[in-house]
Amino acid sequence: MDVLLIRHAPAEDREQFAQTGQADELRPLTPRGIERMQLAARGLMTLALPIERLITSPLVRAQQTAQILAPALEIRQFDTEAMLSAEVSTENLIDWLRKQPRVDGLALIGHEPNLSHLAETLLCGAATGTMPLKKGGAVLLRFSDAVGAGQGQLIWALTPGILRALAE
């Protein structure tokens, strides 16, 4: 099974958005973030990924990213899962991921530092903080057997800039 981890696209500034009195969960993508993610989505299309299922965090910025990526990944409908919000431990996230129906390809859209900690733990057995994921970046992991700590194989890790360059 392939697991594609994608960090949401650039969102409004946290401090400025907080001044609106709205909860951070409602913080949207910036117009530039939308534009950049549209290009990155076109770059992902060139990789011909076998993604069968797309699951996103319930936060607005992740939902908006999923709306941009779903057509590029040929996904008609995506799921929302609270486990992909920023407050969930890596261990709980791996347990949840292990229980997902096995498909050839699963894409997850979420937040930092959760996604990089997840990737590091799936690859190395523990999170070290050495593999940060930029906004709009993606990591593809492959599992020949069950999903678990230290069981993943890194296929690629692409910055948003590389994904956008693939679109050109």
Side-chain angles (χ1 to χ4, degrees):
M1 175 167 84
D2 286 351
V3 177
L4 177 63
L5 304 176
I6 306 161
R7 185 174 178 193
H8 67 79
E12 296 289 337
D13 180 74
R14 185 184 317 268
E15 286 78 29
Q16 287 181 343
F17 189 77
Q19 293 175 3
T20 69
Q22 298 179 69
D24 185 64
E25 292 80 20
L26 300 175
R27 188 162 47 100
L29 300 180
T30 63
R32 185 169 190 231
I34 291 169
E35 180 181 305
R36 289 176 151 234
M37 197 71 231
Q38 288 169 334
L39 280 173
R42 290 201 335 247
L44 275 173
M45 285 174 60
T46 68
L47 299 172
L49 301 171
I51 301 300
E52 296 175 58
R53 191 166 174 219
L54 174 62
I55 307 173
T56 183
S57 156
L59 280 61
V60 167
R61 53 196 176 271
Q63 293 280 314
Q64 290 176 314
T65 300
Q67 290 169 352
I68 294 167
L69 288 175
L73 296 172
E74 298 181 3
I75 300 290
R76 294 182 191 170
Q77 181 178 340
F78 58 84
D79 299 317
T80 299
E81 177 55 58
M83 290 298 291
L84 294 172
S85 63
E87 302 84 31
V88 177
S89 73
T90 302
E91 294 77 21
N92 287 342
L93 193 50
I94 290 173
D95 286 341
W96 168 81
L97 187 56
R98 207 178 274 128
K99 295 173 186 171
Q100 296 306 300
R102 191 142 176 110
V103 293
D104 285 341
L106 174 66
L108 306 176
I109 299 174
H111 311 275
E112 276 296 286
N114 290 44
L115 287 181
S116 60
H117 289 175
L118 177 61
E120 291 171 354
T121 303
L122 291 171
L123 291 169
C124 306
T128 60
T130 58
M131 192 176 158
L133 194 56
K134 291 186 172 192
K135 293 176 184 171
V139 174
L140 184 65
L141 307 176
R142 183 161 292 149
F143 297 87
S144 55
D145 293 318
V147 172
Q151 300 302 307
Q153 174 188 8
L154 178 64
I155 303 302
W156 49 253
L158 299 176
T159 65
I162 292 172
L163 288 171
R164 291 190 304 269
L166 289 172
E168 297 174 351

